[in-house]
Amino acid sequence: MKGFLAVILNMGIVRKPTIPEYWNKSYDSQLSRWFMKLFSRNRFQLILKFFHLVDNKKIPNRNSPNYRPDSKIRPLIDHFNRVATYFYTPDRNICVDESLIGTRGRTAMLQYIPSKAAKFGVKFWVLAESTTGYVAHLKCYLGKKFTPTSNLLQGTEVVLRLLKNCNLLQKGYHVVCDSFFCSFDLARKLIDLNTYLTGTLRSNRKIVYVRQGEILAAAYKGRESKKPVRMISTFINAANSNGKPKIIQHYNMNMGGVDGADMMLHFYNDNRKSTKVWKKLAINIIHRMCSNAYILYRKNTSDAPVKSRLRFIQEVIEALSSEYLVGRNQPVRGVRQTRRDVTIQHIQGRKEKDCVACSDRATGQRRRSRTQCTRCLRGLHFACLKNHLCMEE
C-alpha cells in the first residue's frame, strides 16, 4: 500500500495522458524507470482496480433506508477529520466554503454549480484556516434526498455543524463565509456561542437596520461596481480604511482559505478521470492529507531554508517507495550493486514468466521465459539481461 500511495502521489507531479503511458517502453524518450521499478503495469492496474476502503457486502443496498451514497468513502473522510483536528489547532480567523471535486460519473451526490470551473462534481463543505489553507474539517454533501430536514437555513446548519465537529464554538473564533452561508440568523446564533462572523449577503436578504445589537450590516459600491456589495459582521466596526470599509478588507484577506487549499491541491494532483467516483474522492483526500502535512511541517520546523512543497512531496514519495522496496528486498536509493551481482536462474517447476525486458502485453508482444532475474525475480531471457533495469543500478 505504501508503494501504491507513492505512485499515486508521484503521478500528480509526473503527469502523463494515461496510466499505461507510465510503463511505455516503446520509446526511450518515454521511459519512466521509477514507476517500472515499483510495479509492473498490470500489477498496478490490478491494485487500483481492487482498491477498496470498505467491504461492499457490508454496505446497505440502494433501496435500503440506511443507504448513504458516501458509504465507500466515509471511513477515509472520518479518518481525515479525526487526524486533521488532532494534530493542529487553527488560528482565530477561519473560513467556511464549498469545494467541488469535478466529475461526471454516475452518483447520487452529483451537483451542478455553474460558477465553478468543473460545473459538475461532488461538493464538500470545508472549514479551513484563512492564512494557511489548512483544512480542519470537511463534510461531503449527499444531496437534498439524503439530507435530514432542519428548521435552520442550510448555510446556518452547515457552519454550525462544522464548528461543532471541530470543537471551535465558545472560543472566540472569527468565521468568514460568503453569501450562501451568511445570514442574520447565523450571526445571531454564533454571537450566542461566543463566535464572530463576517461575510457577504445576498440581495434578496433585506437589510432593515444598519446595526442590530452586535450585528453590523453594510452596503458598499466601488467605483467600477455596478451593484453594491452587502456585508454583515459581528466583529468588525463601522470604520473605513483607505477609502473602503474595514469589513470589506477583512473579508478579502480571510475568505481565501478554502480556495487557496484547492489551488494548492490542483498543482500536484493529476485529476485523472475515473468511472468510480468514490475512488476519485479518495485520491483527492489523500492529496489533501499530504497538503495538510506540508502546512504542519512549515509550522513546526526550524530548518533553514524551509523546503518547498514540491520538495516535501518528493521526499514523502521517496520515503514511501523506499519502505516498500525494502519489504520486497529491493535496493533503495543510494545503494548500488555491481553488474556481476545480477544474473539469471531457472524458474522452479518448469514454469514460465513474461520477460520483463522484451514482453509487452499492451502491444500484443508477449514473450515468455523459463529464466528469471536473481535480483527482482521477474522473468528474463539471457539475451535481454543487458537491457534489464537491475543491470543499470
Side-chain angles (χ1 to χ4, degrees):
M1 185 54 62
K2 290 180 178 178
F4 174 75
L5 292 177
V7 171
I8 290 294
L9 292 174
N10 209 13
M11 283 181 172
I13 298 176
V14 183
R15 301 189 184 186
K16 293 198 174 186
T18 62
I19 288 179
E21 280 300 309
Y22 289 94
W23 286 268
N24 185 350
K25 297 184 289 185
S26 301
Y27 306 98
D28 291 341
S29 61
Q30 302 303 310
L31 285 177
S32 301
R33 299 186 182 278
W34 183 86
F35 293 92
M36 298 178 184
K37 181 179 178 180
L38 260 71
F39 297 103
S40 66
R41 182 201 61 216
N42 291 349
R43 178 166 175 77
F44 176 79
Q45 289 185 315
L46 283 173
I47 294 174
L48 183 61
K49 178 180 179 180
F50 294 107
F51 171 66
H52 279 76
L53 302 174
V54 294
D55 185 354
N56 287 348
K57 295 179 181 179
K58 297 180 180 179
I59 298 176
N61 189 275
R62 289 180 181 271
N63 298 324
S64 170
N66 297 324
Y67 172 74
R68 291 172 58 94
D70 66 338
S71 298
K72 293 187 177 182
I73 195 70
R74 173 154 290 279
L76 187 59
I77 295 176
D78 292 341
H79 174 73
F80 175 91
N81 291 332
R82 184 169 56 252
V83 172
T85 306
Y86 178 79
F87 281 105
Y88 187 67
T89 301
D91 291 338
R92 184 179 191 182
N93 293 315
I94 55 178
C95 69
V96 174
D97 203 354
E98 58 189 13
S99 176
L100 189 73
I101 301 177
T103 180
R104 289 178 180 262
R106 295 179 60 185
T107 173
M109 300 180 290
L110 193 68
Q111 299 291 310
Y112 172 67
I113 305 179
S115 61
K116 300 292 186 180
K119 290 184 172 55
F120 289 92
V122 177
K123 181 165 64 176
F124 279 90
W125 308 122
V126 182
L127 186 150
E129 188 180 53
S130 296
T131 54
T132 63
Y134 182 88
V135 177
H137 198 89
L138 53 86
K139 186 178 186 301
C140 186
Y141 178 59
L142 308 182
K144 186 176 181 180
K145 179 181 177 181
F146 299 95
T147 303
T149 57
S150 174
N151 296 327
L152 300 175
L153 295 172
Q154 186 183 42
T156 302
E157 167 70 22
V158 170
V159 174
L160 291 176
R161 179 68 62 182
L162 291 175
L163 290 170
K164 182 179 179 181
N165 290 342
C166 290
N167 195 26
L168 299 181
L169 294 172
Q170 301 285 3
K171 295 181 179 179
Y173 273 88
H174 187 179
V175 183
V176 181
C177 52
D178 62 17
S179 58
F180 179 86
F181 306 92
C182 208
S183 66
F184 280 95
D185 179 59
L186 176 61
R188 295 188 191 98
K189 293 187 182 305
L190 289 181
I191 279 292
D192 293 338
L193 296 170
N194 190 26
T195 305
Y196 302 100
L197 173 70
T198 295
T200 55
L201 283 175
R202 290 183 174 177
S203 59
N204 60 352
R205 292 175 181 166
K206 298 180 180 179
I207 302 176
V208 180
Y209 303 104
V210 175
R211 176 174 288 279
Q212 189 180 74
E214 298 185 63
I215 304 174
L216 170 69
Y220 171 76
K221 184 177 180 180
R223 294 180 179 178
E224 300 178 356
S225 303
K226 294 182 179 180
K227 297 181 180 180
V229 178
R230 295 170 176 84
M231 303 287 295
I232 185 174
S233 178
T234 58
F235 182 83
I236 308 298
N237 295 325
N240 296 335
S241 176
N242 298 325
K244 286 186 179 181
K246 284 187 176 181
I247 185 174
I248 298 282
Q249 296 180 346
H250 184 87
Y251 177 85
N252 292 337
M253 187 181 299
N254 294 283
M255 185 54 205
V258 176
D259 291 337
D262 288 346
M263 182 180 65
M264 290 175 62
L265 210 65
H266 175 75
F267 288 147
Y268 303 117
N269 182 3
D270 60 350
N271 293 314
R272 195 174 302 280
K273 293 182 179 180
S274 174
T275 56
K276 302 292 185 182
V277 174
W278 73 266
K279 287 188 179 181
K280 184 163 187 175
L281 301 182
I283 292 173
N284 182 276
I285 293 173
I286 290 170
H287 282 285
R288 285 188 187 275
M289 289 179 175
C290 196
S291 180
N292 273 3
Y294 176 68
I295 294 172
L296 291 174
Y297 158 74
R298 289 286 300 260
K299 286 279 187 178
N300 296 280
T301 187
S302 57
D303 294 349
V306 177
K307 297 183 181 70
S308 67
R309 182 162 170 257
L310 174 60
R311 188 68 62 200
F312 177 83
I313 296 174
Q314 289 171 339
E315 293 195 6
V316 170
I317 293 169
E318 283 293 325
L320 289 172
S321 60
S322 296
E323 289 187 40
Y324 166 67
L325 290 173
V326 167
R328 283 180 46 197
N329 294 322
Q330 291 287 321
V332 298
R333 182 182 178 182
V335 181
R336 293 182 174 270
Q337 294 185 351
T338 60
R339 289 177 181 269
R340 62 176 176 271
D341 293 325
V342 182
T343 57
I344 63 172
Q345 63 183 12
H346 287 282
I347 303 172
Q348 296 181 357
R350 298 183 62 84
K351 295 182 179 179
E352 294 183 347
K353 295 181 179 179
D354 290 348
C355 180
V356 69
C358 66
S359 181
D360 188 356
R361 293 191 181 188
T363 59
Q365 298 178 352
R366 186 179 183 187
R367 298 186 176 93
R368 307 284 282 174
S369 173
R370 291 187 177 179
T371 55
Q372 63 185 4
C373 172
T374 56
R375 183 176 172 190
C376 65
L377 301 182
R378 296 180 180 179
L380 183 67
H381 294 117
F382 179 79
C384 299
L385 180 61
K386 61 182 179 180
N387 299 323
H388 186 35
L389 291 176
C390 291
M391 292 290 291
E392 301 177 9
E393 298 178 350

